[in-house]
Amino acid sequence: MNAVTIIAPIFGIILIGWAAAVAGLLSDRVSDGLSEYVFAIAVPALIIGTLTRPGLTGEIAWSYWISYFGGAGVAWLAGSWIAKRRAGIGRQGAVLHGFAASQSNTIFVGVPTILQAYGEEGAFPLFLLLAVHLPLMMGCATFLIEAEAGRTLAQRLRGLVLVLAKNPIFGALLVGMLLKGGGIVPGGVAKSLIDAFGSTASTCALIALGAGLRRYRLLFDLPGALVIAVLKLVVHPLVVWLLATRVFSMPPAYAGVATLFAAMPVGINAYLLAVRYKAETGLVAASLLVSTLLAPFTTIAWLTVLGRA
């Protein structure tokens, strides 16, 4: 029941967003606007507000990052290997399959779920992982895809820098860490504005995700979408959990945050990359939808494994 209590508000809001879009109460324009607001303002404010909060401390352990990205690497390689054996999928498409199988929906689903499950205890390891997850995963995917386009190393590096420089989440992480490193805690009007915007992040993100799901076609490539969903929801977190609890030693909250982070459905960044490079958009969209629909059940299972149920 505790696991249901944790995920019910999160996936319930997604369902409400989807139902409102189907009923015509929310248009695609509203969904797009909410998504842009979440990415550009609300989540950056939440990140800065959390990172600069007094008392937010924790240890920085390499084993924590190795556990998470070790699982991501296994899921990515498995997704690419399976894709290469399917007819009509080139090397660029295989990269996108692997990226989708290892790219977690951190902003829309991960942050609300993990903070709901672990609270303050999980805040530091969560944002510690976010700080590395975005540039590393997006960087690897962009680098590999542009390598397939025959671009030089300098062109690929320039493209990577531009992608990160234009991402407000990455910018917020940098600002938050600089403020925290300098011992600067926003106060007065600045704190009120940061808190006001940050408090809207979770609800707006979940509504935007739910409304956006109406666009995706479930039956575009259901077998392929199911393979990616299984890699994302089962294989990725399983490898992370094994590494974090059986191979390395770390605080339970760190192991739990890394596992739940990995157990989130396919991230929207996989779809955005597919659209940008005009490859495998239907399959990635279908895998995003399928993994989101299955995520309530697998999340309950992982919360049970982690002792949070």
Side-chain angles (χ1 to χ4, degrees):
M1 287 303 298
N2 189 47
V4 173
T5 302
I6 289 172
I7 72 163
I10 294 163
F11 289 96
I13 294 173
I14 293 174
L15 179 62
I16 291 170
W18 173 81
V22 170
L25 299 176
L26 292 178
S27 65
D28 289 345
R29 186 172 53 195
V30 173
S31 175
D32 291 339
L34 269 179
S35 297
E36 291 175 8
Y37 165 74
V38 168
F39 269 110
I41 298 176
V43 170
L46 175 64
I47 290 172
I48 292 172
T50 302
L51 289 177
T52 56
R53 187 183 305 156
L56 183 68
T57 58
E59 62 178 284
I60 299 177
W62 284 103
S63 58
Y64 174 62
W65 283 326
I66 292 172
S67 296
Y68 180 82
F69 290 108
V74 170
W76 190 322
L77 288 173
S80 295
W81 184 82
I82 293 170
K84 285 180 181 179
R85 276 145 186 79
R86 299 187 66 191
I89 297 177
R91 293 182 63 186
Q92 191 176 79
V95 171
L96 285 165
H97 278 239
F99 183 59
S102 57
Q103 169 68 25
S104 293
N105 193 331
T106 55
I107 300 303
F108 288 96
V109 185
V111 170
T113 302
I114 291 170
L115 292 180
Q116 184 80 0
Y118 283 92
E120 290 293 318
E121 188 182 11
F124 184 81
L126 169 60
F127 289 104
L128 190 66
L129 189 52
L130 269 178
V132 181
H133 178 266
L134 177 68
L136 186 56
M137 296 296 288
M138 286 291 289
C140 287
T142 303
F143 195 82
L144 289 172
I145 291 173
E146 295 201 350
E148 298 300 325
R151 300 191 179 189
T152 65
L153 177 60
Q155 289 174 327
R156 281 180 274 162
L157 289 175
R158 192 181 305 115
L160 173 58
V161 170
L162 287 174
V163 167
L164 295 178
K166 293 178 181 178
N167 194 301
I169 305 298
F170 184 65
L173 287 165
L174 286 179
V175 171
M177 288 188 289
L178 287 173
L179 291 175
K180 184 173 181 61
I184 301 173
V185 179
V189 175
K191 184 180 186 306
S192 297
L193 288 172
I194 290 171
D195 291 345
F197 286 122
S199 65
T200 67
S202 293
T203 301
C204 288
L206 296 172
I207 287 289
L209 175 60
L213 289 178
R214 186 178 69 88
R215 306 177 188 179
Y216 305 141
R217 292 173 55 195
L218 177 62
L219 300 178
F220 177 85
D221 183 357
L222 188 55
L226 283 171
V227 168
I228 291 179
V230 170
L231 288 173
K232 186 70 211 64
L233 301 174
V234 180
V235 175
H236 186 183
L238 176 60
V239 176
V240 173
W241 179 75
L242 289 173
L243 289 173
T245 61
R246 299 295 185 267
V247 177
F248 300 109
S249 177
M250 64 186 72
Y254 280 63
V257 167
T259 303
L260 279 182
F261 203 101
M264 294 299 100
V266 175
I268 192 69
N269 281 331
Y271 178 69
L272 295 178
L273 271 186
V275 171
R276 178 181 175 186
Y277 292 103
K278 298 179 176 62
E280 300 299 314
T281 52
L283 182 280
V284 174
S287 66
L288 193 155
L289 177 56
V290 170
S291 63
T292 302
L293 293 175
L294 294 176
F297 308 102
T298 55
T299 302
I300 288 177
W302 283 114
L303 287 168
T304 303
V305 169
L306 296 170
R308 290 282 154 170

